Amino acid sequence: MCRHAAWLGAPRPLTSLLQEPSHGLFRQSHAPRMQRCGVVNADGFGMGWYDAGREEPVRYRRSIPIWADANLPGLAAAARSACLVAAVRSASPGMPVEESATAPFAEGRWLLSHNGRVAREAVRPLTGGRTPESPCDSAWLAAAVFARLGAGATLGGAVSEVVGLAGLSDPAARLNLLVTDGDMIAATAWNETLFLHLGEGALLASEPLDDRPGWDAVPDRHIVLATPDGVCVQPV
């Protein structure tokens, strides 16, 4: 299991997902409040953001606990963007603990994070022959989504199709995805919690990052499509 969060809206630093909130991902790495499987998320962490001077997003991933990286506070304060993704990882049994297995996964302008688990046999047929960057289940999901996006599918369409087919093949799968191209976020709730907070943008997280009012639970087996023009929540 993992905890992850994403932001789309007015530019803000990565600290707004990690350290600044009272229950940001830094705290969720060792004291999650709603995690159903596992008690800590110490098997790595990753962040991704978009810079106007680069065509592709910037990623920073480590296979150590987030609290063990002395360079992170300064980096997170300096990394500022209108679209942010971050995750802390608790590796499922049998999955490798390495940077290549840590979200966010990337291809071109796309970033993907997965909170949950899925049988790899349920995902392999969906990849179109692509080889994932890691043998972990999340990397197989990323390969399947990226294959559809590369073939011209919309962000929402690619994510919905992969989650729906994988969930049909593996009914016990937990398939909460955050996928973005920097201009839009598609987020799914599938057998795991996902919360949405709207303000100067859309904030999505496995569990609320603070105790402010306005956090709404996304219904199970629904997808959130967030753009600068608004947010739509619909069944997968």
Side-chain angles (χ1 to χ4, degrees):
M1 285 307 297
C2 308
R3 302 281 86 179
H4 61 193
W7 165 258
L8 184 69
R12 56 171 55 182
L14 270 164
T15 50
S16 65
L17 300 182
L18 303 178
Q19 297 106 328
E20 290 175 0
S22 59
H23 210 81
L25 291 183
F26 191 91
R27 186 171 180 186
Q28 290 181 27
S29 67
H30 60 85
R33 294 184 287 186
M34 297 182 178
Q35 190 160 321
R36 297 173 179 173
C37 298
V39 293
V40 295
N41 297 284
D43 295 322
F45 69 93
M47 310 174 297
W49 66 96
Y50 293 80
D51 183 276
R54 292 173 53 96
E55 178 63 27
E56 297 183 353
V58 183
R59 279 193 303 169
Y60 183 75
R61 300 187 295 172
R62 301 291 306 277
S63 59
I64 62 175
I66 192 171
W67 61 80
D69 189 335
N71 296 315
L72 180 61
L75 174 63
R80 186 179 183 88
S81 177
C83 184
L84 308 167
V85 177
V88 290
R89 182 175 186 235
S90 175
S92 299
M95 295 296 107
V97 177
E98 57 190 18
E99 287 183 10
S100 63
T102 304
F105 303 93
E107 182 173 311
R109 283 190 60 80
W110 302 308
L111 292 172
L112 181 147
S113 177
H114 171 221
N115 168 27
R117 59 142 304 276
V118 63
R120 285 172 287 187
E121 294 75 13
V123 185
R124 283 194 183 100
L126 309 179
T127 61
R130 289 191 175 212
T131 301
E133 66 171 302
S134 165
C136 75
D137 54 352
S138 299
W140 281 97
L141 280 170
V145 172
F146 294 155
R148 282 156 178 75
L149 291 171
T154 64
L155 193 62
V159 173
S160 291
E161 183 177 6
V162 169
V163 168
L165 291 173
L168 183 65
S169 181
D170 178 7
R174 299 189 295 276
L175 297 163
N176 280 27
L177 297 184
L178 291 173
V179 190
T180 183
D181 60 3
D183 298 314
M184 177 182 187
I185 295 175
T188 55
W190 189 285
N191 289 341
E192 252 297 339
T193 59
L194 179 68
F195 288 81
L196 170 66
H197 193 285
L198 298 176
E200 295 180 353
L203 180 59
L204 291 141
S206 300
E207 58 185 69
L209 302 182
D210 51 41
D211 295 321
R212 290 179 298 164
W215 285 98
D216 293 317
V218 177
D220 192 45
R221 307 203 175 193
H222 278 64
I223 184 170
V224 180
L225 302 175
T227 71
D229 297 324
V231 172
C232 174
V233 181
Q234 61 192 42
V236 173

